[in-house]
Amino acid sequence: MEKMINFDFKDIDFKGGIIRYDSYYLTLEEDMLAVDYPHGFFIDAGWYQDLFKIYVIRDYAWDIPENVYEAHNEKEFYEKLLEAIEFTCEEYPKYKANMCL
């Protein structure tokens, strides 16, 4: 039997990001979350073999992500997700006024 986990993203402030995929219940083999931001940015999170990974991508350039976060448990995943949101909103000041609420 595959391990099922429950993630609830409703209490997270995505600062203007639009959730386009959110798997509330998932096995550890499935994608978990995708959040779109203006100007071609998005956050993609999932389980990759033995850890969670969160990618900050711009203009669908998967081969050169803006940042990658790794977490080994659910608590660390939430912390890294918040870091990814902040990175997306603050790393690029020229977009900040239009990007994050």
Side-chain angles (χ1 to χ4, degrees):
M1 179 180 212
E2 295 178 330
K3 180 180 177 186
M4 297 289 288
I5 56 176
N6 176 354
F7 281 99
D8 188 357
F9 299 112
K10 73 178 190 277
D11 293 329
I12 293 179
D13 180 3
F14 288 98
K15 301 190 178 200
I18 299 169
I19 297 173
R20 65 178 162 106
Y21 181 79
D22 172 6
S23 180
Y24 187 70
Y25 292 102
L26 64 146
T27 65
L28 291 179
E29 297 178 359
E30 297 178 19
D31 289 334
M32 296 170 51
L33 178 71
V35 182
D36 284 328
Y37 288 88
H39 302 294
F41 286 86
F42 71 94
I43 292 174
D44 182 79
W47 177 257
Y48 298 88
Q49 296 183 359
D50 60 346
L51 55 95
F52 298 100
K53 285 191 178 181
I54 302 166
Y55 291 88
V56 177
I57 305 293
R58 183 168 178 210
D59 297 330
Y60 297 97
W62 283 95
D63 53 333
I64 49 169
E66 299 293 322
N67 212 341
V68 179
Y69 300 86
E70 296 182 352
H72 294 91
N73 58 55
E74 295 171 37
K75 180 181 183 298
E76 191 176 57
F77 170 78
Y78 277 106
E79 292 168 357
K80 297 296 182 181
L81 179 58
L82 295 176
E83 287 180 30
I85 293 166
E86 288 302 315
F87 176 87
T88 302
C89 292
E90 294 177 2
E91 183 68 13
Y92 301 95
K94 62 184 176 181
Y95 299 120
K96 188 172 182 178
N98 296 324
M99 195 159 96
C100 298
L101 305 175

